[in-house]
């Protein structure tokens, strides 16, 4: 049982589910076809699982410094088992895309897979581009949805908003993990400047969602998501709780799923 829990933790279920919902929710909202939406969203779940498993394998040494409590550096899981699990999920991602995704849209899935599993080379060779690379990749599930639908209203706006919001979050994450990471602008830029850049980027992303906040309920959801920002900023500035700020941002991203339904 502990090994199964460790394998599950390796896939970052909170984020893999978010990626899955980014595809499933707008599809079911626009097609009213639950089976089709589930079928097309399932490969994204496996792709996301591959992403995080491989990330932990590649970051095994770095995580001994940055995240020693993760399954691999803590010794809860052997590297060999994690590698086998990665190839199993990779096979599921490839075959499910081939079997379940219609037409030319499958090429978008394959491109996304290539994008995320080559993240290691950005980290190693182009560390200054790391946060921007992740922010661009994070918008890709929404772009995949747009490729599957004729009704794309609001989707490109959400994709851009997502990219801006995630860029801000990644800047803060990179600052927290700077001790184990390769030297980049994160190491030479004052924390106050990084904070201003990150939260400005997130604010811009949230403001882009304003045209999609239709009706009282939409306005309420957007207001709640925006209202979490000062809480996130306060937690970030408090030296004891910066990682809790990142959790607030994850909650904001879940709230942002609403705007994929518009």
């Amino acid at each position: 049982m502990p090994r199964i829990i460790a394998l599950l933790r390796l896939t970052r279920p909170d984020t893999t589910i978010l990626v899955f919902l980014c595809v499933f929710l707008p599809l079911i909202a626009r097609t009213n076809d639950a089976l089709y939406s589930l079928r097309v969203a399932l490969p994204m779940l496996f792709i996301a699982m591959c992403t995080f498993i491989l990330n932990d394998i590649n970051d095994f040494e770095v995580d001994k410094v940055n995240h020693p409590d993760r399954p691999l550096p803590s010794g809860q899981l052997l590297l060999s088992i994690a590698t086998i699990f990665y190839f199993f999920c990779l096979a599921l991602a490839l075959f499910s895309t081939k079997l379940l995704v219609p037409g030319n849209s499958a090429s978008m899935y394959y491109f996304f897979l290539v994008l995320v599993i080559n993240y290691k080379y950005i980290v190693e060779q182009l560390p200054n581009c790391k946060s921007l690379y992740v922010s661009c990749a994070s918008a890709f599930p929404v772009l995949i949805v747009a490729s599957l639908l004729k009704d794309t209203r609001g989707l490109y706006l959400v994709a851009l908003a997502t990219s801006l919001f995630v860029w801000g979050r990644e800047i803060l994450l990179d600052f927290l993990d700077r001790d184990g990471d390769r030297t980049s602008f994160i190491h030479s830029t004052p924390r106050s400047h990084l904070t201003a850049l990150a939260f400005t980027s997130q604010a811009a992303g949230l403001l882009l969602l304003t045209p999609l906040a239709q009706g009282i309920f939409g306005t309420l959801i957007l207001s709640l998501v925006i209202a979490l920002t000062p809480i996130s900023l306060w937690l970030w500035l408090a030296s004891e709780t910066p990682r809790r700020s990142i959790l607030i941002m994850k909650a904001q991203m879940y709230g942002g799923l609403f705007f994929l339904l518009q």
Side-chain angles (χ1 to χ4, degrees), residues 114-212:
V114 170
L115 198 66
V116 296
I117 66 176
N118 284 289
Y119 171 64
K120 170 187 177 182
Y121 301 108
I122 299 298
V123 172
E124 292 182 349
Q125 305 302 327
L126 300 169
N128 284 314
C129 300
K130 180 183 173 184
S131 56
L132 185 61
Y133 188 86
V134 174
S135 71
C136 292
S138 67
F140 221 83
V142 183
L143 298 178
I144 284 175
V145 172
S147 77
L148 291 163
L149 295 168
K150 293 181 180 179
D151 178 10
T152 61
R153 64 183 188 280
L155 290 177
Y156 294 110
L157 199 59
V158 173
L160 180 57
T162 300
S163 187
L164 287 169
F165 189 87
V166 170
W167 188 46
R169 182 174 181 266
E170 287 299 314
I171 288 172
L172 301 182
L173 279 171
D174 286 349
F175 178 81
L176 292 176
D177 292 343
R178 66 194 183 282
D179 290 341
D181 287 349
R182 287 181 176 270
T183 302
S184 69
F185 75 95
I186 297 294
H187 296 78
S188 58
T189 306
R191 175 172 176 161
S192 59
H193 293 180
L194 292 174
T195 299
L197 177 61
F199 280 93
T200 298
S201 180
Q202 291 192 337
L206 293 175
L207 287 175
L208 283 176
L209 297 176
T210 304
L212 303 178

Side-chain angles (χ1 to χ4, degrees), residues 229-260:
T229 297
I231 300 173
S232 175
L233 178 59
W234 175 69
L235 289 171
W236 173 258
L237 294 175
S239 59
E240 305 85 2
T241 56
R243 290 199 180 272
R244 293 183 185 177
S245 173
I246 305 300
L247 294 176
I248 294 293
M249 294 174 194
K250 181 61 67 68
Q252 288 177 287
M253 292 170 70
Y254 268 95
L257 289 171
F258 171 81
F259 299 97
L260 289 171

Side-chain angles (χ1 to χ4, degrees), residues 18-44:
L18 181 64
V19 173
F20 169 81
L21 292 176
C22 280
V23 177
F24 178 75
L25 290 179
L27 283 175
I28 196 171
R30 288 167 168 80
T31 65
N32 294 314
D33 188 335
L35 184 60
Y36 169 78
S37 302
L38 178 62
R39 191 178 75 222
V40 174
L42 194 59
M44 292 300 296

